[in-house]
Amino acid sequence: MSDHWYKDAIFYEVYVRGFFDSNGDGRGDLPGLIAKLDYLVELGVDCIWLLPTYPSPRKDDGYDVSDFVGVHPEYGTLADFDRLIAEAHHRGLKVIGDLVLNHCSSEHPWFLSARSDPASPYRDYFVWSDDATQYKDARVIFSDTERSNWTYDAVSGRHYWHRFYAHQPDLNFDNPKVQDEMMGVADFWLRRGLDGFRCDAVPYLFEREGTSCESLPETHAFVKRLRAHIDANFTGRILIAEANQWPEDLVPYFDGEFQMAFHFPLMPRMFMALRQETKKPIVEILQRTPQIQDGCQWGLFLRNHDELTLEMVTDAERDYLYEEYAKDPQMRLNAGIRRRLSPLLGGSRRRVELLHGLLLSLPGSPFLYYGDELGMGDNVYLGDRDGVRTPMQWSSDVNAGFSRAEPAKLYSPVSMDAVYNYQSINVEVQNRSEASLLRWVRRMIRARKTTRAFGRGALAFVETENERVLAFVRTYEKEEVLVVANLSRFVQPASLAMGVHAGKRPREIVGEAVFPVLTERYFLSLGPHAFYWFRLETPT
Ligand code: GLC
Ligand code: CA
């Protein structure tokens, strides 16, 4: 693979705790993940992203780190971690970790020392205040739980700053020691062979009065240092930004900092386009998305381990999406919706396929969320975001084949939902059934890999004379792909303005069927929620 391997890669987000339990204690672990690597290879995945595996009191499911250079004992040992990387690399799989830069757990030894002793060398690792009046313009992110970004600490008699839960004190990046410390953490894992990081909560590293305390110049300067350091010491390693920001505000992050950033604004607009049956939201946000440099790439996703965040939409759009996708208040969390893909789409196979069709063909590299390839359901009666983190459904065996533990001992109940229960939705059953979603996803991933235009190509929209039909051409070197997608639940006509492509011959990528040669206005009819990928060939 080239240095730009991530541009052609399919990413798969793994929640280690929920993937496979190797020792029967009811929680997934690293040896369990190793045992399932072949499954991921067969699916066609190129890179796995591990959710945090650090020691942690787990009040934010591992994003509350109490030791940045260790492995949570439930997950295994550093030796297991090394073995995971070796086994993955042996199979041609890359592995990235989650680098939690912004904060640590209030149980991290740094914070324990800092709060209890004014002379502690770690005192200045955190952001303190006597009156909690600073940085009023910074919004509260976990708005359902936290009232303020300051919390009074009775031990030190001062307030400390936190952008997330109160048990996650922000690290003070104004302290050069903190910066060095976190560069050392990156080194530690890259030396063990990790292929890069998804960098958590990137915009919030610095605070400055009178600003939103997001994406400040100081934050960019630090990331540039981190990237330069990594590039100087390692090869082919990547940094991916979790920065929930508008596309234009993400551009600086690509400038000598991250190779990739998630496209947060596109994601809710795919759900909007589907519900409103119009391509407008998708076209508008992509037209608003600036060109990024050659070595850079968008990360595309439909769902992840968090709530489906609605921060990057207007108030009216948010109301609309809540109304359409989360009628039950139980489904809402902070500014988002805590549901999985399949239930969000009413269990509609056609809609699930259509959104995957877009995920795999729009500009960027796709990130799949574990279990969504099966159409797994959620459990909105579990707290926080736990409902989208239930055990992976491997088979109809006890505990969905995830664990040999007493069912009561599992970290989370398996799905017993009438529609999404593990007896009917699981890997074993879907491997057996030719028509399963799993086998369909596998085929589409294979199909995507037949051309590099999807990962690397330029994008040009094609006029269709029908706002319900989205069409675009992706072009990379000599390869051209035409994508046509019907966002409506009814059959639709489309008249494609093919312009310079007239005279080329479309060959459908999955089934290889050859279509009539393109004319300047090319007529196509599309079934409900249908989408097609055509390779454009020049007839000889
Ligand atoms: C990121 C993670 C989320 C976590 C938060 C605080 O947004 O995706 O799961 O709770 O950071 O670390
Ligand atoms: Ca276990």
Side-chain angles (χ1 to χ4, degrees):
M1 275 202 186
S2 78
D3 257 10
H4 293 171
W5 59 268
Y6 46 89
K7 291 191 130 191
D8 307 306
I10 309 275
F11 289 81
Y12 186 96
E13 180 182 356
V14 184
Y15 178 49
V16 177
R17 193 179 218 209
F19 210 57
F20 186 65
D21 172 18
S22 72
N23 61 355
D25 68 353
R27 303 137 183 167
D29 41 55
L30 293 170
L33 173 55
I34 294 170
K36 296 297 185 184
L37 286 176
D38 289 331
Y39 166 79
L40 298 175
V41 172
E42 210 190 333
L43 184 57
V45 168
D46 302 291
C47 181
I48 51 181
W49 153 27
L50 306 175
L51 289 180
T53 52
Y54 309 96
S56 156
R58 312 201 62 106
K59 292 183 188 157
D60 184 13
D61 220 346
Y63 281 98
D64 47 330
V65 179
S66 56
D67 174 7
F68 286 103
V69 291
V71 169
H72 196 294
E74 276 179 14
Y75 288 158
T77 61
L78 272 173
D80 292 326
F81 195 91
D82 293 344
R83 200 159 61 82
L84 168 68
I85 293 186
E87 293 282 346
H89 285 172
H90 175 66
R91 291 166 172 80
L93 280 174
K94 307 247 181 205
V95 186
I96 60 171
D98 212 306
L99 188 61
V100 187
L101 292 166
N102 180 67
H103 47 265
C104 62
S105 161
S106 56
E107 291 174 39
H108 194 292
W110 294 342
F111 190 71
L112 296 179
S113 164
R115 78 192 321 184
S116 55
D117 175 8
S120 159
Y122 300 109
R123 187 73 157 194
D124 200 30
Y125 272 39
F126 299 92
V127 181
W128 300 98
S129 163
D130 289 323
D131 55 10
T133 56
Q134 293 83 355
Y135 316 135
K136 284 248 171 326
D137 300 325
R139 70 197 167 105
V140 172
I141 297 166
F142 284 168
S143 52
D144 282 3
T145 333
E146 303 298 337
R147 289 282 143 265
S148 161
N149 289 320
W150 290 108
T151 288
Y152 179 70
D153 170 46
V155 182
S156 61
R158 304 183 77 191
H159 301 80
Y160 63 90
W161 179 252
H162 57 87
R163 290 309 302 269
F164 294 92
Y165 285 123
H167 59 72
Q168 287 165 314
D170 271 38
L171 289 163
N172 175 21
F173 274 79
D174 271 319
N175 180 350
K177 283 205 193 109
V178 166
Q179 296 196 17
D180 291 348
E181 209 63 89
M182 297 320 279
M183 306 248 277
V185 170
D187 271 353
F188 177 85
W189 294 105
L190 295 175
R191 265 191 249 117
R192 304 198 94 86
L194 267 191
D195 297 291
F197 299 106
R198 174 262 195 191
C199 299
D200 184 62
V202 165
Y204 316 111
L205 303 188
F206 285 80
E207 300 73 38
R208 288 293 179 265
E209 204 51 74
T211 73
S212 65
C213 299
E214 296 187 17
S215 303
L216 297 180
E218 292 82 356
T219 295
H220 287 297
F222 169 72
V223 182
K224 279 198 171 68
R225 268 191 67 209
L226 175 65
R227 171 70 185 276
H229 172 80
I230 292 174
D231 284 354
N233 293 286
F234 305 92
T235 49
R237 315 299 173 93
I238 59 165
L239 294 176
I240 306 172
E242 188 223 9
N244 197 343
Q245 311 276 308
W246 291 103
E248 54 273 21
D249 297 328
L250 283 170
V251 171
Y253 284 106
F254 287 116
D255 182 18
E257 301 179 26
F258 296 92
Q259 284 93 339
M260 293 181 68
F262 289 110
H263 203 315
F264 275 97
L266 172 62
M267 182 274 300
R269 284 172 179 76
M270 301 213 272
F271 289 93
M272 201 142 71
L274 184 62
R275 204 67 185 188
Q276 295 181 333
E277 308 202 338
T278 162
K279 64 183 164 187
K280 270 193 203 137
I282 295 176
V283 173
E284 278 170 10
I285 200 67
L286 289 177
Q287 278 169 345
R288 184 177 162 180
T289 300
Q291 205 57 44
I292 52 175
Q293 293 145 14
D294 225 19
C296 297
Q297 178 77 322
W298 293 104
L300 306 186
F301 63 104
L302 298 170
R303 289 296 300 111
N304 62 20
H305 64 289
D306 287 325
E307 67 275 26
L308 188 166
T309 151
L310 301 176
E311 279 165 333
M312 292 294 117
V313 297
T314 64
D315 290 347
E317 290 167 338
R318 190 173 311 119
D319 290 345
Y320 174 80
L321 287 163
Y322 270 144
E323 184 55 29
E324 295 300 324
Y325 286 110
K327 274 209 175 61
D328 182 347
Q330 190 76 23
M331 297 168 174
R332 304 178 187 183
L333 180 70
N334 302 320
I337 301 173
R338 47 196 205 110
R339 302 184 73 190
R340 263 191 187 265
L341 183 64
S342 199
L344 272 171
L345 303 182
S348 157
R349 172 73 181 263
R350 279 212 280 255
R351 285 172 216 240
V352 169
E353 289 189 3
L354 174 60
L355 285 195
H356 275 94
L358 295 176
L359 174 75
L360 294 170
S361 66
L362 285 169
S365 294
F367 283 69
L368 306 174
Y369 182 52
Y370 89 97
D372 280 352
E373 73 274 26
L374 309 172
M376 260 173 62
D378 49 43
N379 182 348
V380 298
Y381 302 103
L382 298 176
D384 202 344
R385 289 146 291 176
D386 296 346
V388 300
R389 303 177 185 177
T390 58
M392 178 73 173
Q393 294 168 197
W394 293 105
S395 71
S396 324
D397 288 349
V398 66
N399 301 329
F402 157 75
S403 169
R404 302 293 311 158
E406 288 289 326
K409 209 177 161 191
L410 298 192
Y411 77 91
S412 154
V414 293
S415 175
M416 288 170 290
D417 184 275
V419 179
Y420 300 101
N421 64 82
Y422 69 87
Q423 287 94 339
S424 33
I425 296 194
N426 64 62
V427 173
E428 193 176 84
V429 162
Q430 295 203 17
N431 264 333
R432 224 177 280 149
S433 145
E434 228 175 277
S436 69
L437 180 63
L438 175 62
R439 287 176 68 160
W440 181 87
V441 170
R442 219 180 264 157
R443 276 199 301 280
M444 295 313 288
I445 289 177
R446 300 248 146 88
R448 178 188 152 103
K449 288 185 171 177
T450 62
T451 166
R452 298 215 282 177
F454 286 130
R456 298 179 180 236
L459 168 83
F461 288 109
V462 173
E463 177 44 51
T464 63
E465 286 187 354
N466 182 347
E467 64 161 329
R468 302 186 194 285
V469 179
L470 171 69
F472 52 88
V473 173
R474 304 288 315 277
T475 307
Y476 180 69
E477 294 177 349
K478 289 203 177 76
E479 297 176 302
E480 283 174 324
V481 174
L482 167 66
V483 174
V484 191
N486 176 11
L487 295 158
S488 154
R489 64 202 189 283
F490 302 115
V491 65
Q492 293 292 325
S495 172
L496 310 181
M498 290 317 307
V500 296
H501 299 292
K504 292 174 188 162
R505 190 176 50 205
R507 183 191 292 271
E508 198 277 320
I509 292 185
V510 184
E512 300 264 323
V514 173
F515 274 58
V517 166
L518 291 177
T519 47
E520 218 143 292
R521 296 260 25 152
Y522 191 67
F523 181 80
L524 268 184
S525 55
L526 292 104
H529 294 133
F531 75 91
Y532 305 130
W533 294 348
F534 297 108
R535 189 189 310 279
L536 300 187
E537 301 173 342
T538 312
T540 42

